[in-house]
Amino acid sequence: MVVKIEQIKDAGLKLDEPIAPGVLKEALEGQGSGEGTGFQATAPSTLQATLRKVSGGVLLSGGFTVHVGAPCKRCLADVTLDLPVSFTINLVPESLARGDDFKDDDEKAMEKKERTQGESGGTFQLGEADEQLFDGKTIDLDPIIREQVLLALPMSAVCREDCQGLCSQCGQNLNEKKCGCEPKVVDPRLSPLKNIKLN
């Protein structure tokens, strides 16, 4: 999904576009990195975004809901999650960023003050938004969407907080029924370890 700078008028540009399934798949399966996240997209997502020209750059505010599924980390049952994603990014043209290399700290501070004075994107100052570079002519939203999907994912999925998991001996799902396995006898020298609480 590419936006050209000339498409962004003075009033801004509103987007309501479906996210390409390939973008979600690439983010979740780790295309090129060889490491997947363990999550899979279960339904399409739609990006709602607003782009506004500010101080030579573009302020991008957007959001979408990513629908993913994964096996529960305790009992391996299928888990589906609807993860809301919202973000605000200040896109700075590379030409402006390169120009900063030749300015002293006072000039940079003065320009930053001028950029942020009187410019706000709602409840925050422009200087507080994440900054990313772009070529100054087109904005490729796909890498931004991939990054936001990865940031929204939990470390792991559980079907419910009190999930009992699987029996370590027979593999029975203990949420469905108790099994008849005898608990393993713990070496008495290790019994003090049962009192350690890990959070």
Side-chain angles (χ1 to χ4, degrees), residues 107-124:
E107 285 180 300
K108 289 179 191 176
M110 189 67 157
E111 282 188 9
K112 185 171 183 179
K113 184 178 178 186
E114 287 171 4
R115 277 204 313 258
T116 56
Q117 264 184 349
E119 290 181 350
S120 66
T123 59
F124 66 93

Side-chain angles (χ1 to χ4, degrees):
M1 193 181 312
V2 176
V3 174
K4 294 180 180 175
I5 288 300
E6 56 262 25
Q7 292 176 273
I8 306 172
K9 305 301 180 195
D10 290 341
L13 174 67
K14 288 191 181 295
L15 296 176
D16 192 355
E17 299 286 330
I19 298 171
V23 173
L24 295 176
K25 184 176 181 183
E26 190 173 322
L28 297 171
E29 294 181 4
Q31 300 285 334
S33 70
E35 290 183 24
T37 60
F39 291 89
Q40 293 183 340
T42 58
S45 297
T46 302
L47 172 68
Q48 282 99 25
T50 304
L51 294 98
R52 289 187 299 135
K53 289 182 181 177
V54 287
S55 303
V58 175
L59 184 67
L60 167 63
S61 300
F64 58 93
T65 300
V66 62
H67 310 280
V68 294
C72 173
K73 74 171 186 175
R74 297 180 192 159
C75 70
L76 303 180
D78 289 334
V79 178
T80 55
L81 300 170
D82 298 326
L83 305 171
V85 177
S86 63
F87 56 93
T88 302
I89 299 172
N90 187 17
L91 298 161
V92 180
E94 291 171 347
S95 57
L96 285 181
R98 278 198 302 270
D100 281 352
D101 295 341
F102 303 104
K103 296 175 184 168
D104 63 25
D105 289 340
D106 290 338
E107 285 180 300
K108 289 179 191 176
M110 189 67 157
E111 282 188 9
K112 185 171 183 179
K113 184 178 178 186
E114 287 171 4
R115 277 204 313 258
T116 56
Q117 264 184 349
E119 290 181 350
S120 66
T123 59
F124 66 93
Q125 293 298 318
L126 183 58
E128 296 172 3
D130 288 339
E131 282 192 358
Q132 286 191 14
L133 297 178
F134 76 107
D135 66 8
K137 297 177 182 174
T138 59
I139 300 168
D140 187 358
L141 296 176
D142 291 350
I144 295 170
I145 292 168
R146 282 194 295 269
E147 179 183 54
Q148 296 302 321
V149 167
L150 291 173
L151 290 172
L153 293 177
M155 292 296 289
S156 56
V158 289
C159 60
R160 59 183 202 228
E161 285 302 316
D162 62 343
C163 176
Q164 300 295 309
L166 302 175
C167 172
S168 60
Q169 295 176 53
C170 70
Q172 169 65 42
N173 185 339
L174 300 175
N175 296 316
E176 296 169 0
K177 66 176 185 176
K178 298 288 180 197
C179 63
C181 296
E182 290 292 324
K184 286 186 176 178
V185 177
V186 177
D187 184 330
R189 294 171 292 178
L190 299 176
S191 61
L193 296 178
K194 289 191 295 185
N195 299 326
I196 296 176
K197 297 206 187 293
L198 298 174
N199 292 333

